[in-house]
Amino acid sequence: MPKVINVVGARPNFMKVAPIVDAMKRREREFTPLVVHTGQHYDAGMSAAFLDDLDLPPPDVFLEVGSASHAAQTAAVMERFEPVVIKEKPDWVVVVGDVNSTLACALVCAKLGVRVAHVEAGLRSRDRTMPEEINRVLTDQISDLLFTPSADADENLLAEGIAAERIRLVGNVMIDSLYKHLERARTSAIKEQLGLADKSYGVLTLHRPANVDEPETFGRILQALEKICEQLPVVFPVHPRTRKTIAELGLGTRVGRINGLRLIEPLGYLDFLSLYSGARLVLTDSGGIQEETTVLDIPCLTLRENTERPITVKSGTNTIVGTNPEKITAAAFAALNGTAKRAGNIPPLWDGHAAERIVDALLLA
Ligand code: UD1
């Protein structure tokens, strides 16, 4: 019976790992799943809220690494994860996504000769200034099994010389969580609490260092918001990194003066799903939200110059608008006037059953 360590570290990991652990628990005669939380994210709103919302059991091991520079954080995860792997002797370690914890844990396994599977493999923005892109490329190179969400990811891996036998196209495991929790999210009181009627507001998320750590870029995004908020109130759950840089860059007064821009604390999974599923428009620099809005048929403007998830542009509702204020504003008004591109298709295998395909493949590998 394979013992599998499932790694979570940062906020976007929880909704990817939850369905995998759930699928393993449903097949308890076939798997012994463990959950290791690195503690990369640790605030209640960035971590505990997600465990609860997603019915993830409390982690079996908590590494408590916390925040630090990239090197220090990655090294701390490696140092603390290695003895866990040595003690537990898992048959597989499953890592998801592209955060520092993903690469750190994959590297520990590669060095110990323990098999590691990477979920959400093969995505490429081709922007090596993004820390996540480095994490993706390296994690894929050293993983034994690569679970991809879409065919473009397979092509990327093959082009990097990764053998086809290591690649399995399984679909999008994050969408498993979305489908599973959509009904429950409808019972969230968040829209009522904020006094929002469906389709009468926008939602903004912003946390990429390239956007929020750069005063000029952040300023350009604010310039666009000053215009957009004249037409549409926008709710902005603020990531801790962003809250910190708003203060450090002295942007608090300017942000506070934008009528219609409403800053709130980060939301848990169900409240956030409830909030964006009722939005008229989403503006984001997140990766996962590009996919979730595609599935729910909500116009999404991505405030970046590129995406590692091109299928959301090709067949979904996503438009890459960068950080030019005119371009952002024009795209937002096009979406509000109904002249923007409309829905497309939900990509193949984004069907709520990716986790089952992953656990099937792990048993056979
Ligand atoms: C990380 C991931 C990013 C992911 C994002 C989602 C990497 C390289 N980046 O970025 O891919 O999209 O998570 O949120 O792994 N902080 C808190 N409380 C927390 C966590 C962080 O206050 O619970 C603050 C700290 O000031 C910290 C900063 O946020 O220094 C950045 O945290 P970090 O985990 O380094 O990166 P994120 O920007 O969250």
Side-chain angles (χ1 to χ4, degrees):
M1 186 156 73
K3 184 192 258 190
V4 184
I5 292 183
N6 299 276
V7 176
V8 290
R11 183 168 65 174
N13 294 158
F14 301 110
M15 61 293 273
K16 296 168 194 167
V17 168
I20 299 172
V21 172
D22 188 43
M24 289 179 185
K25 284 199 181 288
R26 276 187 273 118
R27 295 163 65 163
E28 59 184 358
R29 297 222 181 99
E30 291 167 293
F31 287 97
T32 309
L34 293 175
V35 176
V36 173
H37 188 332
T38 68
Q40 175 172 345
H41 284 175
Y42 44 86
D43 283 352
M46 301 293 285
S47 174
F50 285 79
L51 298 178
D52 293 346
D53 279 359
L54 292 157
D55 302 326
L56 245 176
D60 299 283
V61 181
F62 193 54
L63 302 179
E64 293 182 79
V65 297
S67 300
S69 69
H70 284 283
Q73 187 177 60
T74 307
V77 174
M78 289 185 70
E79 277 188 350
R80 293 180 194 195
F81 188 56
E82 185 181 52
V84 177
V85 178
I86 291 171
K87 174 169 172 257
E88 296 294 344
K89 298 187 183 51
D91 298 283
W92 281 100
V93 170
V94 173
V95 297
V96 300
D98 54 19
V99 302
N100 287 343
S101 301
T102 310
L103 171 62
C105 293
L107 190 47
V108 166
C109 296
K111 298 265 181 172
L112 288 174
V114 170
R115 291 188 297 176
V116 58
H118 183 208
V119 175
E120 201 183 86
L123 298 184
R124 296 290 181 269
S125 65
R126 303 198 162 71
D127 175 0
R128 295 248 172 137
T129 66
M130 280 180 85
E132 294 81 3
E133 183 73 354
I134 307 295
N135 293 340
R136 291 181 199 115
V137 170
L138 297 178
T139 303
D140 286 341
Q141 280 298 328
I142 58 178
S143 294
D144 298 275
L145 204 48
L146 299 159
F147 291 118
T148 55
S150 47
D152 56 290
D154 292 44
E155 286 165 26
N156 292 335
L157 294 172
L158 294 169
E160 288 173 17
I162 289 172
E165 302 85 74
R166 284 165 58 200
I167 306 170
R168 305 280 188 285
L169 175 56
V170 292
N172 193 328
V173 76
M174 197 183 62
I175 303 307
D176 290 13
S177 281
L178 191 157
Y179 284 136
K180 179 172 176 196
H181 295 288
L182 199 51
E183 271 313 306
R184 252 176 93 209
R186 292 195 208 288
T187 64
S188 153
I190 189 72
K191 288 184 282 192
E192 219 178 312
Q193 280 165 17
L194 295 170
L196 299 168
D198 272 351
K199 303 299 167 194
S200 70
Y201 61 93
V203 171
L204 167 72
T205 80
L206 218 49
H207 74 284
R208 296 271 159 223
N211 282 340
V212 302
D213 294 0
E214 301 293 331
E216 260 183 45
T217 314
F218 207 160
R220 286 202 300 275
I221 294 172
L222 292 178
Q223 207 181 316
L225 287 167
E226 282 156 359
K227 283 265 175 301
I228 294 166
C229 289
E230 287 171 8
Q231 308 281 323
L232 182 78
V234 171
V235 183
F236 181 17
V238 189
H239 187 286
R241 169 192 281 281
T242 310
R243 194 169 285 283
K244 208 162 107 185
T245 57
I246 288 174
E248 280 169 10
L249 300 175
L251 291 168
T253 312
R254 183 168 175 196
V255 169
R257 270 207 296 256
I258 304 179
N259 273 330
L261 183 65
R262 188 144 169 206
L263 276 64
I264 60 172
E265 289 301 312
L267 295 174
Y269 184 78
L270 294 173
D271 284 343
F272 188 62
L273 174 51
S274 166
L275 183 70
Y276 74 78
S277 63
R280 178 110 180 255
L281 173 69
V282 170
L283 301 113
T284 191
D285 60 7
S286 150
I289 295 171
Q290 298 170 43
E291 299 179 334
E292 291 164 330
T293 47
T294 272
V295 169
L296 293 181
D297 193 19
I298 295 156
C300 176
L301 305 184
T302 294
L303 306 172
R304 290 170 43 191
E305 303 298 336
N306 51 54
T307 180
E308 61 287 336
R309 292 159 161 92
I311 197 162
T312 60
V313 177
K314 203 168 139 214
S315 58
T317 55
N318 188 19
T319 309
I320 303 297
V321 292
T323 57
N324 175 306
E326 284 79 35
K327 209 170 158 192
I328 301 172
T329 315
F333 290 143
L336 295 183
N337 300 333
T339 53
K341 75 175 205 177
R342 277 307 288 167
N345 300 314
I346 296 174
L349 302 178
W350 293 23
D351 58 359
H353 299 288
E356 290 156 34
R357 289 187 282 270
I358 288 170
V359 297
D360 282 344
L362 281 175
L363 270 188
L364 293 173

